[in-house]
Amino acid sequence: MDSLIIAALALCSLTAPAYGDKGSSKARSCSDIRQFYGGKGFPLDDVPQIEISGEHLRICPQGYTCCTSDMEDKLASQSRTEIEGVLKEAGRAIQTELAEQQNVFDGYIDELLNRSSSTLQETFTSTFGILYLQSAHVFSDLYTDLRHYYRGSNLDLEDALNDFWTKLLEKLFSQANKQYSIGEDYLECVSKQMETLRPFGETPHKMTLQVTRTFVAARSFIQGLAIGGEVVRKVSQVPLSQECMRAMMRMTYCPHCRGMPSAKPCSNYCSNVMKGCLANQADLNSEWRNLAEAMVDVALHRLDTMDSLILSLPNQILEAMSTMMENLLTVNVKLFQACGNLREGGTSGTGAEESMKRGRVTVEDSLGDSSNKMAKLVSDVVKKLKEMQPYWVSLPNIICSKRVATGAGAEDKCWNGISRARYLPEVMGDGLASQINNPELEIDITKPDMTIRQRIMQLKINIHRLTKAFSGQDVDFQDTSDDGSGSGSGMCADGMCSRGPRLVAITERPIFYAYPPENKKVKASAQQNLPSIGIFLLVILILLLRR
């Protein structure tokens, strides 16, 4: 019988709870955490002088502790604030990169348009004199329309180019036939003959095709940069969940509460916490990569000749005007046949035909270093886009890289959520669906974050836009800059509207556990369960002794 009593006492001594980092049997001072806690800006009155029993804790392990419930709540809130700050900072870096690329492209394309417009004005003024001055607004309107379209104006570019050629035909016809009285109705008839008569030869068709294809691609590309930055900004503002806050607290500040301020999280432990916290963000990965790839294709294959195209516009316009003037007699005959003969009554003076004969010139504006500059811009942006492709799934690694334990023996001495010991659970995959068995967070994978789902749809819409733009098709969507609902006709043309997610209100009530859920415990530390086993055995022994 005595041997049984001795065995029971020995078992109790083995299963007695450990105190702090070194497991001394004496309650330790809380001076370290007082200094740490005060450094965070919290009142020192919250902190006990020595360790207390931790039955009150709802997040940290319930051994002896220097943290009260109020301290635990404040530190949990602090951990969420800090991690949300890190996420916003990472997002700002991406936004800055995208904005810088957009500004560089905007500036260079604006420079090319100004240079092309100035070349046309200088050359045509010195060559054609009054003929150009009387038609100057037709040319300036063309460049204004190109700028407005590139910057996102609700403008049909093909219609704008057709209007340019129509107005130019009316002006040149009027100047070439100044001896006649030409009214608005007659000029309207002249403009209607544009398609069948083709007074400018093939130049309008060729130039319209080139300009439309290039500017549609450029505008979609720039919009892609802007949308990318907007998506990052919106997603960076999505608050982390209460469950994530608790997991962050357990990983970040519970070691301080347990008297282990130097303990850093195990690498795999940190990965699981952050993959769970950022599961919805990781679901952006697929469409984010698709957007980057679509933009790379457009940049490499549609923007590479944009500089030469813009600078060639004066020469193409001159070529078209020369074609009309060379065939003016034939053009006039056909127009008179279609619209009727004109009666004299106009003004005398040199007509367009004489001006053109005096002005047999070639507009020269060599690319110089422009070609190399555009090639460098494309190369730079392609490099940046490729670097950004894994952004959403790399966030856990970015956050954990500076937090986790490293060096010799780190795997055995790191904080695993309960104590200093090896972390045994496997690392989860990326995305919401992969978190069903995450040992660190309770996540309802059937309730995705609706703000992030809207951003995913926004990315899909703009990928569709870029794909169409690659082949020269202009697709306009409504409401693509904010809610990503994609209600425009271009979206529905491919049957995508019907596949959009329904937006429903989701509310989540925080869940608090007095103890960590059973399936969440890390199996690396056997001490956590030993005290209860020892007490159970002791009770049995006492009952046996009384018999």
Side-chain angles (χ1 to χ4, degrees):
M1 188 67 65
D2 291 340
S3 61
L4 289 174
I5 295 174
I6 293 171
L9 293 174
L11 180 60
C12 288
S13 66
L14 288 172
T15 59
Y19 290 85
D21 210 2
K22 297 179 181 179
S24 69
S25 59
K26 184 179 178 181
R28 297 190 310 167
S29 167
C30 293
S31 58
D32 287 343
I33 196 169
R34 287 177 67 83
Q35 183 178 359
F36 165 77
Y37 190 75
K40 293 291 182 181
F42 298 123
L44 293 179
D45 293 344
D46 293 348
V47 187
Q49 294 295 327
I50 60 173
E51 289 180 325
I52 60 177
S53 179
E55 289 85 355
H56 58 278
L57 297 178
R58 295 176 296 175
I59 301 174
C60 294
Q62 294 185 330
Y64 273 73
T65 181
C66 280
C67 289
T68 64
S69 295
D70 191 42
M71 290 174 63
E72 191 179 43
D73 290 341
K74 288 178 180 177
L75 288 172
S77 179
Q78 176 72 14
S79 67
R80 179 164 65 179
T81 299
E82 289 173 351
I83 201 64
E84 286 178 346
V86 172
L87 291 173
K88 288 178 181 178
E89 188 62 33
R92 277 192 289 270
I94 295 293
Q95 292 174 66
T96 299
E97 289 281 6
L98 293 170
E100 286 178 353
Q101 293 297 327
Q102 182 178 349
N103 290 336
V104 169
F105 270 93
D106 283 345
Y108 184 52
I109 290 174
D110 199 48
E111 174 191 328
L112 289 171
L113 288 169
N114 287 337
R115 182 170 157 186
S116 179
S117 177
S118 297
T119 299
L120 185 146
Q121 181 177 354
E122 292 168 4
T123 305
F124 281 33
T125 299
S126 61
T127 303
F128 307 130
I130 191 66
L131 171 63
Y132 171 76
L133 295 176
Q134 291 176 344
S135 307
H137 70 278
V138 176
F139 302 103
S140 63
D141 286 349
L142 170 64
Y143 284 94
T144 298
D145 286 342
L146 292 177
R147 283 191 181 89
H148 286 172
Y149 177 82
Y150 170 75
R151 291 171 182 167
S153 174
N154 186 19
L155 174 74
D156 189 305
L157 185 56
E158 190 170 343
D159 284 350
L161 291 166
N162 290 337
D163 286 345
F164 164 74
W165 292 113
T166 297
K167 291 176 183 176
L168 186 59
L169 171 61
E170 293 174 359
K171 285 291 183 182
L172 292 181
F173 179 78
S174 296
Q175 290 293 326
N177 295 280
K178 293 182 69 173
Q179 68 274 26
Y180 297 112
S181 177
I182 307 174
E184 292 296 325
D185 291 343
Y186 197 92
L187 287 178
E188 184 177 350
C189 177
V190 169
S191 66
K192 289 180 179 179
Q193 311 310 310
M194 182 78 175
E195 188 62 30
T196 56
L197 188 58
R198 294 185 179 272
F200 297 115
E202 293 301 315
T203 299
H205 176 72
K206 182 181 73 172
M207 186 174 125
T208 297
L209 184 63
Q210 291 175 340
V211 169
T212 300
R213 181 180 290 268
T214 301
F215 272 78
V216 165
R219 182 165 89 158
S220 296
F221 177 80
I222 291 299
Q223 288 172 340
L225 292 175
I227 291 300
E230 178 72 0
V231 167
V232 173
R233 185 180 70 83
K234 290 285 187 180
V235 173
S236 297
Q237 294 173 351
V238 173
L240 297 175
S241 68
Q242 289 290 322
E243 180 65 20
C244 175
M245 179 182 74
R246 290 190 292 274
M248 286 300 305
M249 168 64 189
R250 197 156 45 242
M251 180 178 77
T252 306
Y253 292 134
C254 284
H256 291 270
C257 292
R258 292 284 288 160
M260 307 177 192
S262 63
K264 288 190 175 184
C266 301
S267 177
N268 288 350
Y269 172 43
C270 184
S271 293
N272 274 344
V273 170
M274 297 317 306
K275 282 176 183 285
C277 285
L278 303 175
N280 281 282
Q281 287 84 337
D283 282 344
L284 286 157
N285 178 59
S286 178
E287 299 308 329
W288 180 262
R289 285 180 176 274
N290 290 339
L291 178 74
E293 289 173 1
M295 292 175 65
V296 166
D297 286 342
V298 168
L300 288 175
H301 303 293
R302 291 293 178 262
L303 303 186
D304 55 336
T305 59
M306 190 170 187
D307 44 6
S308 60
L309 170 65
I310 293 175
L311 295 179
S312 74
L313 295 180
N315 243 335
Q316 293 198 57
I317 294 170
L318 176 63
E319 180 184 347
M321 292 170 63
S322 299
T323 298
M324 177 175 170
M325 290 303 119
E326 288 172 358
N327 300 287
L328 183 60
L329 182 60
T330 303
V331 170
N332 272 348
V333 169
K334 291 184 177 180
L335 287 174
F336 293 158
Q337 288 175 348
C339 301
N341 291 323
L342 292 168
R343 54 186 177 83
E344 294 189 5
T347 60
S348 58
T350 304
E353 186 178 12
E354 293 300 318
S355 296
M356 291 297 296
K357 286 179 180 177
R358 292 201 316 269
R360 299 291 184 184
V361 295
T362 299
V363 182
E364 292 188 5
D365 188 346
S366 61
L367 282 174
D369 62 351
S370 295
S371 182
N372 291 333
K373 184 173 182 179
M374 178 57 80
K376 185 177 186 307
L377 291 183
V378 169
S379 176
D380 287 347
V381 76
V382 166
K383 180 181 178 182
K384 296 293 183 185
L385 288 170
K386 289 183 177 179
E387 289 174 353
M388 293 177 190
Q389 279 187 307
Y391 173 70
W392 296 109
V393 293
S394 67
L395 280 176
N397 293 332
I398 292 173
I399 294 170
C400 289
S401 61
K402 297 180 180 179
R403 292 171 172 261
V404 300
T406 57
E411 291 184 359
D412 294 318
K413 297 179 181 179
C414 54
W415 174 254
N416 64 12
I418 294 176
S419 65
R420 283 183 185 267
R422 181 179 291 268
Y423 183 77
L424 298 181
E426 64 178 342
V427 177
M428 299 294 101
D430 298 309
L432 189 60
S434 299
Q435 307 309 312
I436 190 169
N437 292 317
N438 193 315
E440 306 309 326
L441 288 83
E442 291 282 1
I443 300 175
D444 187 349
I445 66 171
T446 66
K447 293 183 178 180
D449 184 275
M450 287 297 103
T451 299
I452 293 178
R453 297 296 137 172
Q454 288 175 340
R455 300 307 140 197
I456 291 174
M457 182 55 65
Q458 189 177 10
L459 293 174
K460 287 179 180 287
I461 290 170
N462 284 276
I463 292 163
H464 180 72
R465 184 202 300 268
L466 283 159
T467 302
K468 292 295 184 182
F470 187 84
S471 58
Q473 301 177 53
D474 191 5
V475 180
D476 277 323
F477 300 108
Q478 298 174 13
D479 302 326
T480 60
S481 63
D482 188 41
D483 66 6
S485 58
S487 57
S489 60
M491 184 66 174
C492 295
D494 281 357
M496 294 175 68
C497 289
S498 61
R499 298 198 296 271
R502 292 187 301 112
L503 305 186
V504 295
I506 301 293
T507 58
E508 183 180 0
R509 182 172 299 172
I511 303 171
F512 294 95
Y513 295 102
Y515 297 89
E518 185 64 30
N519 64 341
K520 301 301 179 190
K521 292 183 179 179
V522 180
K523 305 303 181 183
S525 179
Q527 285 187 345
Q528 194 71 14
N529 293 324
L530 283 175
S532 59
I533 296 172
I535 293 170
F536 175 72
L537 292 175
L538 179 59
V539 170
I540 293 175
L541 289 171
I542 292 172
L543 291 174
L544 289 172
L545 289 172
R546 287 181 178 178
R547 293 180 62 182

